[in-house]
Amino acid sequence: MNTLHVIHGYPPFYMAGSEVYTRNLCRALARESAVHVFTRVENPFAPPYSVTTSREDGVEVTRVNKPARDYTLEDKYLDARVDDVFRETVARVRPDVVHIGHLSHLSTNLPIIAKRELGLPVVHTVHDFWLHCVRGQLVRADLAPCQGPSDDACTRCLRDTLKHHASLGATATYRTHMQDVLEHIDRFLVPSRTVGDFLIQQGVDPDKVIHWPYGLDVSRIVPRVSGRLPRETVRFGFMGRVIPVKGIGLLLEAFREVRGDVTLEVWGQANGSLPWLRALSGDDPRVTFRGGYEHDDLAEVLSRFDVLVAPSLWLENSPLVIQEALAAGIPIITSDAGGMAELVDEGRHGFRVPLGDRVALRDRMQTIADEPSLLDALSPSSAPVRTIEDDAASCGRLYRSLTPKRRLPQLAHRPSPWRVTFVTNPGTCNLACAMCDTHSPHAPPRKHGLPTLSFDVIDRTVRALVRRGLREIIPSTMGEPLLYKELDKVLDLALETGVRVNLTTNGTFPVGGVERWAPALLPVVSDVKFSVNATSQAVADVVMEGLDVQRQLEDIARYIRERDAFVAGGGRRSTVTLQCTLMEATLPEMPGILRWSIDHGVDRLKAHHLWVTWPQLRGQSLRRSAVDAGRWSSMSAELEQIAEAALRERGVRVRLENLGPLPLGNPGGPAEDSVCPFLGQEAWVEADGSFQVCCCPSEKRAAFGYFGSLTESSLEALWNGEAYAAFLGSWGDHPHCVECNMRRPRQGGAR
């Protein structure tokens, strides 16, 4: 069994309850199986999102550096760069199951990636209310209990910290997204029935919720043989995170009013809060702030208490400090609410006081100070405490019960597309290519012109998806994108948001030439694909009517020189691709195109077999028979030899993509065990604003059905909608998918 545990912090850098519990569980699991941890660290001296991997106590720990703070609501739950590091980690460690501990400061997309995209079962130990409450504890900024999450209540609460960055719309989007996250979790392990009941009230399937008490590492805890030690002074103690919701302020204010021979030791890292804590205590000399402690010091810390006080102001899940005190035989005073009340039996393990009631807490401590023998009547013990070994063994059984159900999805479905093609101006082009489904000389005259995509659709979509993993956009691949009147706005948007532009153009550089377009494109493009199908004018006249091929090649060469000068001046390097349509007319041209690419600094030669969009092209397909497929396969081998010779003799590398041989047995059909490289990965937006599922010709796309329009909804909502999910589940059965020439081998296929 190979497990990957995800937690927002991991010792020794973070030592709160969920982090310590995760470490102890991983250590116990590692005695029997391979265990990996994916977590974050905040190192201001290392580059953001740099990754370190170490082996600690038999556990492999991968830490992604995320020193930046959260300033907007989306910052708190989305991080596309963390998503990518997580994908890389999963690919490397190949887990059988993903066990989520906490996603704060990471990304809530991780369960969706694990479950829907990668086909892994997902288990989540629920440590607090964070998937329903950005604060995590269901308390308001004034520390008053929240009556329950809602769009309005959450927005009011968020405005206390995010001010103008919080809005009702953003809150509603956040809550909808969290519901999607919950649906991608197979089992919820809840340490308290309080949290379990809450999840069910919020709509989680009760069959997915399992009461799962925390396991405790009791190896360093020394049980007290009998009641309090014979001494006059009653020693109260607090340990854990010294933060307001833990009730430390309430405790200090209550303790200062307690009379008698009593002391209070506060164990936990106070950092810059110490002056305020001393003020709350009234500078009472009986109060000592001891600072932080290590797990190895646990027995020593507990030995200094007669009573542990855990007066949290929120519905604590199942505080480890209470269980540690029980295991040590130390009585407890805690709040009569949540998982705290579940752990402490009144009159047996200790005492419970109403949540947030300072007077009741003061009176309980005063009663003990006046009559210490009350403690001798209590019998706290380790009996209700579960060992970490039992916890780990139960986890192993749970993992094994889920993994046989694992089935890789037919297609991976990302939480949002990594690339979007916007069909900006399909009706505008300066060439008439034979294979084009819009401007081909074989196409019948259109009664009406084609629409042009509104830039507002592009702007709104890019801004919404950039935090969700959008890396690239592609302006129109139907029509010439350099003729889109608002292309400059698209380039400015890319520069502002950091999204790269992947451009496909015919290499004619209309409206200004290379001198106009190279400076505008180079700062934002990731790749420019030039449609090149010939080096001879005779073939160009057949395939790309209206093209001056010599001028085209000269302009592309000039663009490459401009690209290299831009890089030499410190600019980011983009790649240059020549894209070819494989057909009878272009077959003899391929060696010359490749040699031109080698001579002029092209990075990649990419091709695709002809879509027979018009009857006049049927004789041009190289997939129409085994003989024709064999002719192409021979050419494929020749191109490989040319590329290898260039690398060996000149050190020039041109990447060949989609130029492999065709299967002779079924040249017109898909490769065996092949998948679509686009579905679930990329999205297309038609010029009318409709969401399209792939790049096949428009009249074929229409047969797939209607998936919604960006004039009525967001692309993210349509991408995660029922219609698209249903299509992904049965995509391979559609006739157009069966005949598609874009499918790739399931394993190792280039995209």
Side-chain angles (χ1 to χ4, degrees):
M1 181 63 63
N2 186 359
T3 61
L4 177 62
H5 294 254
V6 178
I7 186 71
H8 58 347
Y10 193 79
F13 301 103
Y14 306 91
M15 294 295 293
S18 60
E19 294 97 317
V20 171
Y21 166 75
T22 299
R23 180 186 62 180
N24 293 342
L25 178 62
C26 289
R27 283 175 171 176
L29 286 167
R31 296 165 192 157
E32 303 293 337
S33 59
V35 179
H36 308 266
V37 170
F38 180 81
T39 187
R40 72 101 164 58
V41 72
E42 297 170 288
N43 180 358
F45 302 102
Y49 300 98
S50 56
V51 178
T52 60
T53 301
S54 58
R55 191 138 190 101
E56 303 169 19
D57 302 309
V59 177
E60 183 184 277
V61 183
T62 297
R63 292 181 172 92
V64 55
N65 188 37
K66 193 178 176 184
R69 307 305 300 172
D70 301 329
Y71 291 105
T72 70
L73 177 57
E74 285 190 327
D75 286 336
K76 291 183 174 296
Y77 69 96
L78 289 174
D79 194 320
R81 294 179 70 178
V82 169
D83 293 345
D84 288 338
V85 178
F86 179 73
R87 289 185 180 98
E88 294 165 2
T89 303
V90 171
R92 176 174 54 82
V93 307
R94 300 181 63 83
D96 298 302
V97 64
V98 173
H99 190 151
I100 306 290
H102 213 296
L103 297 170
S104 175
H105 305 293
L106 291 170
S107 171
T108 50
N109 275 335
L110 303 192
I112 303 175
I113 293 170
K115 181 69 177 177
R116 190 176 74 188
E117 185 178 328
L118 304 177
L120 295 166
V122 179
V123 175
H124 176 32
T125 295
V126 185
H127 295 289
D128 55 22
F129 303 100
W130 191 79
L131 287 179
H132 292 89
C133 169
V134 171
R135 295 185 186 277
Q137 294 95 15
L138 281 180
V139 293
R140 304 195 312 244
D142 61 1
L143 301 183
C146 172
Q147 299 306 307
S150 69
D151 290 351
D152 288 335
C154 293
T155 301
R156 288 195 301 270
C157 191
L158 283 165
R159 282 176 177 155
D160 289 331
T161 53
L162 299 176
K163 299 181 175 63
H164 61 280
H165 289 296
S167 67
L168 185 60
T171 304
T173 299
Y174 151 75
R175 284 168 46 77
T176 300
H177 169 77
M178 289 304 192
Q179 286 300 126
D180 189 32
V181 172
L182 293 168
E183 290 173 6
H184 288 85
I185 296 171
D186 295 291
R187 296 291 184 273
F188 296 85
L189 310 185
V190 293
S192 71
R193 301 192 189 281
T194 297
V195 170
D197 292 344
F198 172 81
L199 289 177
I200 294 169
Q201 290 167 6
Q202 299 302 313
V204 173
D205 182 352
D207 291 338
K208 290 185 174 183
V209 179
I210 307 174
H211 183 227
W212 199 278
Y214 284 131
L216 193 68
D217 179 6
V218 297
S219 61
R220 291 181 172 83
I221 298 177
V222 180
R224 189 166 296 175
V225 177
S226 58
R228 68 185 286 271
L229 298 179
R231 63 171 62 88
E232 294 300 324
T233 303
V234 178
R235 304 171 305 168
F236 295 99
F238 175 96
M239 57 192 295
R241 298 185 68 195
V242 185
I243 56 177
V245 292
K246 290 287 187 177
I248 180 63
L250 181 80
L251 171 59
L252 292 171
E253 290 180 327
F255 181 81
R256 64 191 288 182
E257 298 178 8
V258 176
R259 304 176 305 278
D261 191 1
V262 293
T263 62
L264 171 64
E265 290 194 1
V266 177
W267 287 83
Q269 196 62 253
N271 298 321
S273 300
L274 195 55
W276 316 119
L277 294 170
R278 292 191 187 281
L280 286 169
S281 73
D283 283 323
D284 192 326
R286 300 173 300 172
V287 179
T288 307
F289 296 93
R290 295 292 187 183
Y293 61 96
E294 301 293 333
H295 185 66
D296 291 346
D297 303 326
L298 194 55
E300 169 61 23
V301 174
L302 289 169
S303 71
R304 303 178 66 88
F305 303 161
D306 295 316
V307 185
L308 174 76
V309 188
S312 284
L313 303 179
W314 66 288
L315 302 181
E316 281 241 36
N317 192 350
S318 185
L320 288 181
V321 294
I322 290 181
Q323 297 183 69
E324 289 164 348
L326 287 173
I330 296 173
I332 298 140
I333 302 174
T334 192
S335 301
D336 190 13
M340 299 172 287
E342 294 178 38
L343 289 173
V344 177
D345 289 344
E346 176 77 22
R348 179 185 173 201
H349 301 134
F351 307 97
R352 304 198 302 241
V353 297
L355 187 77
D357 191 329
R358 179 186 60 81
V359 173
L361 178 59
R362 179 202 65 193
D363 290 346
R364 174 51 63 188
M365 289 191 289
Q366 186 64 64
T367 300
I368 294 172
D370 294 339
E371 196 174 348
S373 61
L374 287 174
L375 300 178
D376 297 330
L378 303 175
S379 56
S381 72
S382 62
V385 176
R386 184 185 195 185
T387 67
I388 196 66
E389 290 77 16
D390 178 66
D391 192 344
S394 297
C395 278
R397 289 191 292 271
L398 175 64
Y399 299 157
R400 287 187 289 273
S401 74
L402 295 173
T403 49
K405 299 176 184 177
R406 174 186 175 188
R407 180 183 68 84
L408 282 174
Q410 189 175 15
L411 284 175
H413 186 183
R414 294 172 65 102
S416 60
W418 74 273
R419 182 160 67 189
V420 177
T421 295
F422 294 100
V423 183
T424 50
N425 54 307
T428 312
C429 194
N430 57 349
L431 297 180
C433 299
M435 54 284 191
C436 180
D437 65 345
T438 305
H439 301 281
S440 172
H442 307 306
R446 293 183 180 272
K447 294 182 181 180
H448 305 287
L450 294 173
T452 298
L453 184 65
S454 166
F455 171 73
D456 289 341
V457 171
I458 301 174
D459 185 73
R460 173 166 33 91
T461 303
V462 169
R463 293 184 188 279
L465 293 182
V466 67
R467 293 178 183 273
R468 290 161 167 78
L470 181 68
R471 298 181 202 158
E472 289 187 349
I473 57 175
I474 301 179
S476 192
T477 55
M478 297 164 56
E480 169 54 49
L482 297 187
L483 292 173
Y484 180 48
K485 292 183 179 180
E486 297 190 280
L487 185 60
D488 285 319
K489 291 183 179 178
V490 174
L491 302 181
D492 290 342
L493 175 65
L495 195 63
E496 177 189 347
T497 61
V499 171
R500 312 305 293 181
V501 176
N502 190 310
L503 188 71
T504 298
T505 175
N506 60 32
T508 62
F509 293 94
V511 193
V514 178
E515 60 272 21
R516 150 83 166 97
W517 288 111
L521 294 173
L522 287 169
V524 297
V525 293
S526 58
D527 178 70
V528 177
K529 292 186 289 295
F530 296 101
S531 295
V532 174
N533 287 289
T535 58
S536 65
Q537 189 63 46
V539 174
D541 289 341
V542 173
V543 179
M544 302 178 71
E545 184 179 306
L547 175 70
D548 180 343
V549 72
Q550 189 60 38
R551 173 67 181 273
Q552 179 199 43
L553 295 176
E554 288 175 357
D555 283 348
I556 295 172
R558 180 179 173 187
Y559 176 85
I560 294 172
R561 292 194 296 271
E562 292 288 335
R563 187 274 309 268
D564 293 344
F566 179 75
V567 174
R572 182 180 184 275
R573 190 181 193 279
S574 56
T575 55
V576 172
T577 298
L578 299 192
Q579 181 165 276
C580 313
T581 301
L582 301 177
M583 52 196 290
E584 279 289 345
T586 62
L587 183 64
E589 294 288 300
M590 294 305 298
I593 294 173
L594 177 55
R595 290 189 176 97
W596 190 94
S597 302
I598 293 168
D599 291 340
H600 290 86
V602 171
D603 300 283
R604 179 176 62 152
L605 181 63
K606 181 181 180 182
H608 60 84
H609 283 272
L610 174 72
W611 278 100
V612 180
T613 48
W614 310 109
Q616 298 90 330
L617 296 178
R618 286 173 183 153
Q620 287 287 331
S621 174
L622 297 172
R623 304 170 73 213
R624 63 188 185 273
S625 71
V627 172
D628 296 304
R631 292 168 54 227
W632 162 250
S633 296
S634 296
M635 176 60 72
S636 173
E638 180 181 343
L639 296 176
E640 286 285 352
Q641 292 173 359
I642 293 172
E644 289 176 5
L647 179 61
R648 182 175 62 252
E649 297 168 8
R650 300 169 55 183
V652 177
R653 181 188 299 275
V654 175
R655 177 185 169 193
L656 304 184
E657 188 169 316
N658 304 345
L659 289 162
L662 286 169
L664 300 183
N666 184 27
E672 185 177 354
D673 192 31
S674 62
V675 296
C676 177
F678 305 117
L679 290 173
Q681 304 291 317
E682 304 183 40
W684 276 256
V685 177
E686 192 60 83
D688 61 5
S690 59
F691 168 39
Q692 304 292 330
V693 299
C694 78
C695 60
C696 71
S698 56
E699 77 280 359
K700 294 182 182 291
R701 277 204 306 259
F704 290 144
Y706 180 70
F707 297 91
S709 173
L710 273 69
T711 61
E712 303 168 351
S713 184
S714 69
L715 180 54
E716 183 183 24
L718 300 176
W719 179 267
N720 292 298
E722 293 181 3
Y724 188 51
F727 182 75
L728 290 182
S730 60
W731 73 276
D733 299 331
H734 198 284
H736 293 332
C737 297
V738 171
E739 69 177 7
C740 180
N741 60 13
M742 304 295 284
R743 289 170 67 165
R744 303 286 179 268
R746 185 180 295 276
Q747 300 295 331
R751 191 176 293 163

